[in-house]
Amino acid sequence: MFKRPYVLAIVSFLMIPAVTVLGGLLINSINPEIAAGLANYERNYWLLSLVKTLSMLAVSLVIMGLWFLTCFFLVKSKQRSYGWLAGAMFGPFGLIFLTLLNDNAPAPRDLYQQFVGKLKIYLRGAYELIFFVTVWVGAYQTMVLKRDLMIMYEAATTGTSIAQIIDQQNASGGMWAFGEGLEVLFLVALFYLLWPICFNLLGRLPRLWASSKKA
């Protein structure tokens, strides 16, 4: 039911935040100031700064590579021309577009492709528009829920009041807004990737229920 390239696309996509977090920890652990007080301070400081810069570049390249692999496996799973990989340059919006492409070789039991394949063009347009709005609202609400839970956790573990934590976040509102925006974009792309799988699983529930009753 699930094509191997499509599963690899999801795996590649889920590796992006993992690499981002681990890479961030690695980069933050490199502090050129530790060269202070040592012999050849200037040279050691320069070397450590270079290592930190190269580490940032390496992490960025790995993330870009994973993003490309996500789009590559997605296009491959649909048996479409690799020219569609140009959509990867448009970020999450390009990925959304790639998920909308019809599958040239759908799996025999792919209920989702059977569903969208039967829709008239105007019904398909209405369906995709409704789904687009639903996904964005769902991604935003998920981000808000995660933010509220993290605030409650920080308040419980540090003893700081929720109001104080919110004030601290508001003081650096631009940084928090940027980070939350990235989270929403990530969730939107993830929901688009997972929806065909969820649709197929939900479509099989009636058969599984009927089979269990017969047993």
Side-chain angles (χ1 to χ4, degrees):
M1 182 175 62
F2 307 130
K3 292 183 177 180
R4 184 170 178 267
Y6 196 86
V7 175
L8 291 175
I10 296 176
V11 171
S12 299
F13 185 73
L14 291 176
M15 287 179 64
I16 292 176
V19 170
T20 302
V21 172
L22 293 176
L25 293 175
L26 172 64
I27 293 170
N28 290 333
S29 67
I30 303 174
N31 182 13
E33 292 298 336
I34 63 175
L38 301 177
N40 299 317
Y41 167 74
E42 292 184 358
R43 186 194 66 181
N44 293 334
Y45 183 91
W46 179 82
L47 288 175
L48 288 171
S49 298
L50 178 61
V51 170
K52 188 168 187 175
T53 301
L54 291 177
S55 298
M56 294 173 62
L57 178 61
V59 171
S60 299
L61 290 175
V62 171
I63 292 173
M64 291 173 60
L66 290 171
W67 176 253
F68 176 81
L69 283 177
T70 299
C71 296
F72 170 80
F73 287 126
L74 181 57
V75 171
K76 184 177 181 180
S77 70
K78 293 176 177 290
Q79 295 292 305
R80 304 297 297 236
S81 168
Y82 290 132
W84 290 107
L85 283 174
M89 295 185 296
F90 297 95
F93 296 99
L95 180 67
I96 290 173
F97 177 77
L98 293 179
T99 62
L100 302 182
L101 295 175
N102 289 326
D103 194 334
N104 284 337
R109 296 183 295 168
D110 193 335
L111 300 179
Y112 180 75
Q113 287 299 322
Q114 294 175 17
F115 167 72
V116 295
K118 293 178 180 178
L119 293 177
K120 300 293 184 181
I121 186 170
Y122 56 89
L123 291 177
R124 177 73 185 275
Y127 162 75
E128 295 296 351
L129 178 60
I130 294 173
F131 184 70
F132 180 82
V133 174
T134 302
V135 166
W136 277 93
V137 172
Y140 178 78
Q141 293 300 325
T142 301
M143 180 275 295
V144 171
L145 176 61
K146 176 256 182 185
R147 179 183 61 193
D148 292 343
L149 291 175
M150 292 300 295
I151 291 175
M152 293 171 60
Y153 174 77
E154 183 177 350
T157 55
T158 63
T160 307
S161 68
I162 292 179
Q164 289 177 315
I165 296 174
I166 294 176
D167 288 339
Q168 292 173 3
Q169 293 183 357
N170 290 335
S172 55
M175 181 186 68
W176 281 99
F178 178 75
E180 290 177 348
L182 291 179
E183 289 180 12
V184 171
L185 289 174
F186 173 81
L187 289 171
V188 166
L190 180 61
F191 290 167
Y192 264 92
L193 286 173
L194 293 180
W195 173 236
I197 293 179
C198 295
F199 188 97
N200 278 290
L201 292 175
L202 291 173
R204 274 162 174 72
L205 287 179
R207 294 183 183 180
L208 293 175
W209 177 256
S211 299
S212 63
K213 291 181 67 176
K214 291 181 180 179

